[in-house]
Amino acid sequence: MLKIENLQASIDDKSILKGLNLEVKAGEVHAIMGPNGAGKSTLANIIAGKDDYEITEGTIELNGEDISELAPEERAHNGVFLSFQYPVEIPGVSVTNFIKTAINETRKAKGLEDMPAKDMLKMIREKSELLEIDRKFLSRSLNEGFSGGEKKRNEIFQMAMLEPKLAILDETDSGLDIDALRIVANGVNKLKSKDNAVIVITHYQRLLDYIVPDFVHVLHNGKIVKSGDASLAIELEAKGYDWIKQELV
Amino acid sequence: MSKYTEDDLEQELKTQEYKYGFYTDIESETFAKGLNEDVVIAISKKKNEPQWMTDWRLEAYRVWKKMEEPEWANVHYTKPKFQDIAYYSAPKEKPKLNSLDEVDPELLDTFKRLGISLDEQKKLANVAVDIVMDSVSVATTFKKTLGEKGIIFMPISEAIQEHPELVRKYLGTVVPTTDNFYAALNSAVFSDGSFCYIPKGVRCPMELSTYFRINEGGTGQFERTLVVADKGSYVSYLEGCTAPSRDENQLHAAVVELIALDDSEIKYSTVQNWYPGNKEGKGGVYNFVTKRAICETNAKVSWTQVETGSAVTWKYPSCILKGNNSVGEFYSIAVTNNHQQADTGTKMIHLGKNTKSTIISKGISAGKSQNSYRGLVQISSRAENARNFSQCDSLLMGNDCGAHTFPYIEVKNKSAQIEHEATTSKIGEEQLFYCNQRGIDTEKAIALIVNGFSKEVLNKLPMEFAVEAQKLLEISLEGSVG
Ligand SMILES: Nc1ncnc2c1ncn2[C@@H]1O[C@H](COP(=O)(O)OP(=O)(O)OP(=O)(O)O)[C@@H](O)[C@H]1O
Ligand SMILES: [Mg+2]
């Protein structure tokens, strides 16, 4: 599904990713962990196509196709979804209107007609129930005045609506209370299939109790420096990152 | 009367074609350029006006001649050469209409782009359309239904013939001929416009709608609109404007007068999208409009406007809150792009007790445009317990445009409560990326964000107009990024 080779990227001449390799296959869940400032969000943004960064080396392939020249919306149309670490507010645009626009724009790009309102409503009902979202919430302005947890839950609601091939969840667990974490994680698990893949970026083992990863990677200083299975996350939780940093020296 | 269909409308258009003499016997008629007393008299003659009307025009002309063009607005433009304008023009004869599609392809095309093709209009029930083309009305529909309720809705030139007592009683009472340079000019030479009268206690059963457009090159356009809501009546009036591309600047100086008698309510909504000039700032319409309402006891007037067009806009729909407990509202979205300049806002003049006004202004600037809000809230000494709330929000796109807010507040009564809020924001890269990431391209994202920003005002428009206005915002901001 996703294949990243020797990715090097910088912003304002500051090098952030320094030769990163990652391969994610359909049906897999990958967790990316790593200290603050390691480059996790940068990686997520670059996959999603944010153009603040300059890619100086390497390739990003999605289903065998180089996507590094594609606009972010084109990547989205190809099934890339990013749950933002810090979702932005769009005043006056309701959650419903936003997601309707997102779905119909994606359909338009694929040469499809707008989704009939009836189907849209049905889907909204299903997905909001799945994530235990109060429907009143959906008529509020996108992310405006949302609590930290509400923002994250809303990101996953959008993911559920858009049914992406590759979902990247950037610290979706931070800000969620214990119940919300379970609800959101269950939601993600329900959406998982053998045809799609999930990358979860997190600092805590807690989320990985619910969304069990096939692989855990440690990103440090712009590179993936260690990979393992789910047990690596448990080890990190217990020991922190120092031992890995020392291994590198 | 049963449901009015598109076929009925078509039928009516066909039969009306002959009602107006100039269709059959005049190919195209435009007066020679220039303005003097003879031209004013000729316009009046052309329209078969009674002597009082001719005199009224002449008086206005004499006042105008002594006036100076105002310069206080925050706009810069080459002043129109008033002697270079033809002050009267009737439309050219068009081939016989076989279907509605032949009314005017350009107009139709604009309708289509706006998603309000005449086809769709059929579905938009309860909209009576009076199309004013090149200063002369070519069609008035729904007259009959309205007539049954005693509602008068017709071109003002016709009203002068058929209801001279009403027109004479109210014309110029809200905007006197001496009011300002453009109002005086309009009073002298106005060629047509609309007249609307709602009798006592009548609730107008449909939205009254007019489409104006400018057609012939070099023709100034001077409409005159007069709406009178008698005691306890209600009317919602829609005014929309479209104009095709044009190279030379065109002057437009309309006057709109609203009279809301005791306990009545007038909603006046405008969507204005005249040609703004090209990307380099060449061409475009000059829009200098005087719009004012007078509210008697317990009356309410709401001005809602979506301004996306014109090269230069100068416009301040105002309310004189004369009666006790009267209410004035102003909801405005003004979009400027490329080299457009808009200086718009409102005046709320509180004279009566317990009068209330609300001002919500949303300015959106893109390109190299300048967008100014200018508002006056005036509380007179006898306006006990007057209240005003004003909110002016500006949205900037890019670094070359400007937003300016000039709120003037004059309070002569201590019991007044006045609140003013103002914000300026920018469409952020983060917002755009967020939308892009969800599959929404930048153009659409901007439209979405702008619609969100303007929502409080869009919500005030009648449904069908709101849809049109949203599309219009989208169209007028096309190419404003990237
Ligand atoms: N726009 C920017 N300008 C300058 N530096 C940036 C920019 N964006 C990111 N960086 C820097 O790049 C580095 C990686 O940031 P990134 O947000 O990817 O870290 P992260 O691994 O997601 O951290 P966290 O766990 O705190 O979310 C940081 O040092 C950050 O300051
Ligand atoms: Mg991060």
Side-chain angles (χ1 to χ4, degrees), chain B residues 84-233:
Chain B
D84 230 19
I85 293 170
Y87 287 87
Y88 182 84
S89 129
K92 285 179 188 149
E93 188 188 3
K94 300 239 162 159
K96 197 165 187 269
L97 305 172
N98 290 315
S99 83
L100 255 184
D101 290 351
E102 288 171 37
V103 168
D104 178 354
E106 251 175 323
L107 185 63
L108 207 71
D109 186 56
T110 315
F111 279 164
K112 281 204 179 110
R113 277 199 84 192
L114 293 170
I116 49 144
S117 64
L118 290 174
D119 240 37
E120 267 189 21
Q121 278 194 32
K122 192 168 83 177
K123 285 182 224 144
L124 305 174
N126 288 348
V127 179
V129 181
D130 170 33
I131 300 167
V132 177
M133 204 193 291
D134 249 25
S135 323
V136 180
S137 299
V138 292
T140 302
T141 56
F142 284 84
K143 226 168 160 177
K144 216 174 136 199
T145 323
L146 297 174
E148 281 160 11
K149 296 221 167 219
I151 295 168
I152 303 166
F153 178 44
M154 56 172 57
I156 197 158
S157 56
E158 248 176 70
I160 290 169
Q161 307 296 332
E162 292 181 29
H163 305 279
E165 71 300 335
L166 275 176
V167 177
R168 198 173 179 180
K169 183 169 174 193
Y170 291 110
L171 188 72
T173 56
V174 192
V175 180
T177 49
T178 51
D179 191 77
N180 69 71
F181 184 84
Y182 305 113
L185 179 62
N186 174 288
S187 303
V189 303
F190 77 84
S191 40
D192 217 332
S194 295
F195 175 76
C196 171
Y197 172 80
I198 316 292
K200 270 182 200 144
V202 169
R203 197 181 163 85
C204 183
M206 59 187 72
E207 318 271 1
L208 298 183
S209 166
T210 316
Y211 282 91
F212 290 107
R213 59 177 296 234
I214 298 174
N215 246 346
E216 216 144 292
T219 317
Q221 183 96 3
F222 305 94
E223 294 101 354
R224 188 92 196 183
T225 303
L226 179 58
V227 179
V228 181
D230 212 327
K231 290 181 181 169
S233 68

Side-chain angles (χ1 to χ4, degrees), chain B residues 329-465:
Chain B
E329 294 175 339
F330 174 74
Y331 302 103
S332 167
I333 301 169
V335 181
T336 53
N337 197 359
N338 300 320
H339 289 265
Q340 279 177 278
Q341 306 174 60
D343 194 300
T344 179
T346 185
K347 285 187 229 166
M348 293 291 175
I349 314 291
H350 293 250
L351 301 177
K353 295 189 175 103
N354 304 316
T355 44
K356 221 170 101 180
S357 62
T358 305
I359 299 171
I360 309 275
S361 160
K362 304 275 180 178
I364 299 149
S365 344
K368 293 185 161 49
S369 67
Q370 296 297 326
N371 204 328
S372 303
Y373 166 82
R374 189 182 301 277
L376 169 68
V377 176
Q378 200 177 58
I379 313 284
S380 80
S381 54
R382 54 180 195 86
E384 256 345 280
N385 293 320
R387 277 195 286 158
N388 163 266
F389 174 75
S390 304
Q391 184 187 325
C392 304
D393 299 325
S394 308
L395 186 67
L396 298 171
M397 296 165 63
N399 297 316
D400 298 330
C401 54
H404 316 273
T405 309
F406 305 101
Y408 304 96
I409 298 169
E410 294 169 21
V411 181
K412 296 209 177 97
N413 185 309
K414 284 206 179 97
S415 64
Q417 265 180 285
I418 294 188
E419 272 178 85
H420 180 88
E421 287 173 12
T423 66
T424 301
S425 52
K426 259 188 151 182
I427 292 189
E429 290 297 319
E430 298 296 324
Q431 285 178 319
L432 292 176
F433 179 60
Y434 188 91
C435 294
N436 292 159
Q437 206 300 304
R438 300 296 139 92
I440 303 167
D441 69 26
T442 301
E443 204 114 72
K444 187 84 194 171
I446 287 175
L448 196 69
I449 294 166
V450 165
N451 274 326
F453 171 78
S454 318
K455 198 177 177 186
E456 288 157 279
V457 176
L458 288 173
N459 282 347
K460 297 289 170 189
L461 290 171
M463 237 313 244
E464 62 273 18
F465 231 35

Side-chain angles (χ1 to χ4, degrees), chain A residues 21-211:
Chain A
N21 297 295
L22 180 66
E23 186 170 2
V24 178
K25 295 203 175 77
E28 292 178 350
V29 176
H30 289 240
I32 296 180
M33 304 182 79
N36 294 133
K40 302 182 296 296
S41 295
T42 303
L43 174 65
N45 284 332
I46 288 177
I47 297 170
K50 193 168 190 192
D51 69 359
D52 297 5
Y53 308 94
E54 197 196 341
I55 297 176
T56 49
E57 281 279 352
T59 55
I60 307 173
E61 282 180 9
L62 187 72
N63 296 322
E65 192 201 342
D66 183 1
I67 59 164
S68 51
E69 292 300 316
L70 293 186
E73 62 271 20
E74 293 170 316
R75 300 183 198 202
H77 300 155
N78 286 333
V80 174
F81 179 91
L82 171 59
S83 167
F84 286 83
Q85 184 173 359
Y86 305 109
V88 299
E89 297 180 359
I90 307 191
V93 178
S94 69
V95 175
T96 305
N97 187 18
F98 183 77
I99 197 65
K100 185 188 96 186
T101 308
I103 287 178
N104 285 335
E105 287 298 298
T106 301
R107 289 174 68 96
K108 194 163 88 189
K110 291 176 179 160
L112 298 171
E113 295 279 302
D114 279 2
M115 184 184 276
K118 198 172 109 258
D119 298 356
M120 184 80 73
L121 280 172
K122 184 162 165 271
M123 194 170 178
I124 288 174
R125 200 164 304 145
E126 276 170 20
K127 305 297 183 185
S128 56
E129 270 163 26
L130 172 70
L131 292 160
E132 299 183 27
I133 290 175
D134 184 349
R135 299 253 290 292
K136 268 190 240 131
F137 186 81
L138 301 176
S139 46
R140 284 176 57 183
S141 287
L142 188 70
N143 292 321
E144 203 181 28
F146 286 16
S147 74
E150 285 168 343
K151 283 184 185 168
K152 297 302 175 69
R153 198 188 293 217
N154 177 47
E155 291 290 285
I156 301 306
F157 168 70
Q158 291 181 41
M159 168 184 156
M161 291 292 294
L162 289 162
E163 300 178 328
K165 288 260 173 297
L166 173 69
I168 306 163
L169 313 185
D170 191 356
E171 296 197 25
T172 299
D173 52 341
S174 66
L176 290 177
D177 67 40
I178 299 159
D179 292 333
L181 182 71
R182 185 177 37 79
I183 293 161
V184 165
N186 279 343
V188 173
N189 285 334
K190 286 235 174 70
L191 300 166
K192 244 173 56 187
S193 79
K194 60 178 186 5
D195 299 320
N196 59 30
V198 185
I199 298 174
V200 284
I201 295 171
T202 182
H203 287 296
Y204 307 106
Q205 159 60 27
R206 211 178 44 193
L207 175 69
L208 305 180
D209 286 340
Y210 294 105
I211 306 175

